[in-house]
Amino acid sequence: DGGPLPTAPDGSPRNGGGGDGDPFSGSVDANDLIRRIEALNDETDLCTLLTGQAMADIAAADINLAGLASNPSGFSALFAALDKLFGHMLTIGPPEVEQPLSILQGVWGGLADIDIRSTDAEGRAAALLAGKDTQAANGALAEWVTKNCLPS
């Protein structure tokens, strides 16, 4: 197992900031995360992107969201980088992953549209992530990776 897939976030607390549950006290600067995501656009092998260590590092990063939360353009930059990465994966990927990648790209776009300061932000994000289409896309992409990228 090469690590987590760059799919929709699972909603589990990855940004524990030392286990205190505070998503704003992580050790990875959000701007560094954006740079890491942008660097993945140089990769031309979809299997490497979906199973590689670089993506695993991003997915598991203990991100400090303080700078992003106080700076809406920071959130915009993060979601723009993710949108560009999904666009890149669509460009280099085979036709059978086009639908799941497009759905997941839309999920990230939907998350970007949620105002994190609103009282219902967490519930709206959870509903988007738990949606049937999101779950089906995650499953289809994981199945493709298992068949095409992982040693049998």
Side-chain angles (χ1 to χ4, degrees):
D1 183 359
L5 300 176
T7 59
D10 65 10
S12 64
R14 285 200 176 119
N15 303 323
D20 61 3
D22 181 0
F24 299 101
S25 63
S27 61
V28 177
D29 177 69
N31 290 321
D32 181 51
L33 177 67
I34 292 168
R35 283 188 291 277
R36 290 187 201 182
I37 292 168
E38 289 173 343
L40 294 176
N41 287 300
D42 294 333
E43 180 55 60
T44 57
D45 178 29
L46 186 60
C47 283
T48 299
L49 275 174
L50 295 176
T51 63
Q53 188 59 47
M55 188 61 74
D57 288 347
I58 288 170
D62 184 25
I63 306 158
N64 181 339
L65 296 177
L68 288 181
S70 62
N71 179 0
S73 67
F75 265 117
S76 296
L78 174 62
F79 285 111
L82 287 166
D83 186 64
K84 183 178 178 185
L85 178 60
F86 272 91
H88 173 65
M89 289 190 289
L90 283 162
T91 300
I92 66 171
E96 58 263 35
V97 297
E98 184 175 331
Q99 184 179 17
L101 284 174
S102 293
I103 289 169
L104 295 172
Q105 184 178 29
V107 169
W108 283 105
L111 291 172
D113 290 340
I114 296 172
D115 182 349
I116 63 159
R117 297 164 296 195
S118 68
T119 56
D120 66 342
E122 190 173 330
R124 290 176 56 203
L128 186 61
L129 297 174
K132 191 171 94 177
D133 289 347
T134 304
Q135 297 306 310
N138 276 334
L141 195 58
E143 184 178 316
W144 183 86
V145 167
T146 300
K147 283 195 327 197
N148 297 281
C149 303
L150 303 179
S152 47

